[in-house]
Amino acid sequence: MSPSEALTQIDHTIGEFSFTDQHGATVTDQDIEGKIHVANFVFTSCISICPVMTKHLKILQEQFGDNPQVEVLSYSVTPWIDTVDRLEGYTQQNGITAKNWHFLTGNQAAIYALARQSYFAEEDLGFTKDSSDFLHTEHVLLVDGSKRIRGIYNGTLELETQQLAKDISWLLAEAKKP
């Protein structure tokens, strides 16, 4: 659907947040206002889906790394382990150089609440989960400039990440139309 249709048909938006990225900078919901953003949930010590998602999301770095209208937010689901220094090391180890790709850490309960209540990042949406229930998902979410979820992709599949890149391009083109 077009951005104008999304504004009238989707009333849910991503909530407020404030976390710290791998450079020690604060990133808030205000920083993504009016921008397209991609969100996923990872942890640096993961040996299963997280490294695969990070590798696939580098497609976005290649295509949109210099685009000020696109942000990638990778929220740590183990923020008690994933300090700023550890996230910085992870990005260096994985060749992540884009200034618009933020690996975020902060309060665990706030990250988990944002993941579950704003991004609907898990499949078990109808089930109430405590903020201490571990969050691990392969979902990557596309959010438009009005903070409305526009797509959900399996980040472990390169083909779906390629589709995500196409959908970002489409949203960017739609945003330019009068």
Side-chain angles (χ1 to χ4, degrees):
M1 72 179 61
S2 72
S4 60
E5 289 173 318
L7 283 172
T8 61
Q9 295 183 31
I10 304 171
D11 61 0
H12 175 80
T13 58
I14 303 305
E16 295 178 0
F17 65 86
S18 179
F19 299 110
T20 306
D21 77 2
Q22 71 270 27
H23 305 295
T26 300
V27 177
T28 73
D29 55 291
Q30 294 173 354
D31 295 319
I32 59 166
E33 190 72 42
K35 298 179 182 181
I36 295 164
H37 81 273
V38 173
N40 75 322
F41 299 87
V42 298
F43 61 107
T44 60
S45 58
C46 176
I47 58 171
S48 61
I49 64 175
C50 299
V52 176
M53 286 194 300
T54 300
K55 176 185 166 203
H56 291 164
L57 286 177
K58 286 179 71 176
I59 291 169
L60 304 184
Q61 176 175 267
E62 293 165 15
Q63 293 185 28
F64 307 105
D66 294 329
N67 190 321
Q69 291 305 308
V70 178
E71 299 282 338
V72 179
L73 306 178
S74 293
Y75 296 91
S76 171
V77 297
T78 59
W80 62 92
I81 296 171
D82 290 336
T83 62
V84 168
D85 288 341
R86 186 158 177 146
L87 291 174
E88 185 177 27
Y90 183 81
T91 59
Q92 290 173 359
Q93 183 180 34
N94 286 282
I96 296 162
T97 57
K99 289 182 172 44
N100 61 348
W101 191 348
H102 306 277
F103 281 76
L104 301 171
T105 189
N107 177 276
Q108 177 191 352
I111 291 170
Y112 280 36
L114 189 70
R116 292 184 169 124
Q117 297 166 14
S118 277
Y119 288 108
F120 305 125
E122 294 180 303
E123 291 181 26
D124 301 334
L125 294 180
F127 300 97
T128 303
K129 290 198 174 184
D130 183 284
S131 65
S132 64
D133 288 338
F134 190 67
L135 174 71
H136 199 217
T137 179
E138 72 278 0
H139 291 161
V140 176
L141 297 103
L142 173 61
V143 182
D144 68 18
S146 298
K147 298 183 189 168
R148 288 167 167 73
I149 297 171
R150 300 298 295 277
I152 302 172
Y153 309 81
N154 183 331
T156 64
L157 301 174
E158 186 174 356
L159 185 63
E160 290 209 17
T161 309
Q162 291 168 353
Q163 183 61 54
L164 168 60
K166 289 177 186 176
D167 293 346
I168 292 170
S169 293
W170 183 83
L171 282 176
L172 286 169
E174 282 295 309
K176 291 181 181 178
K177 290 184 181 177

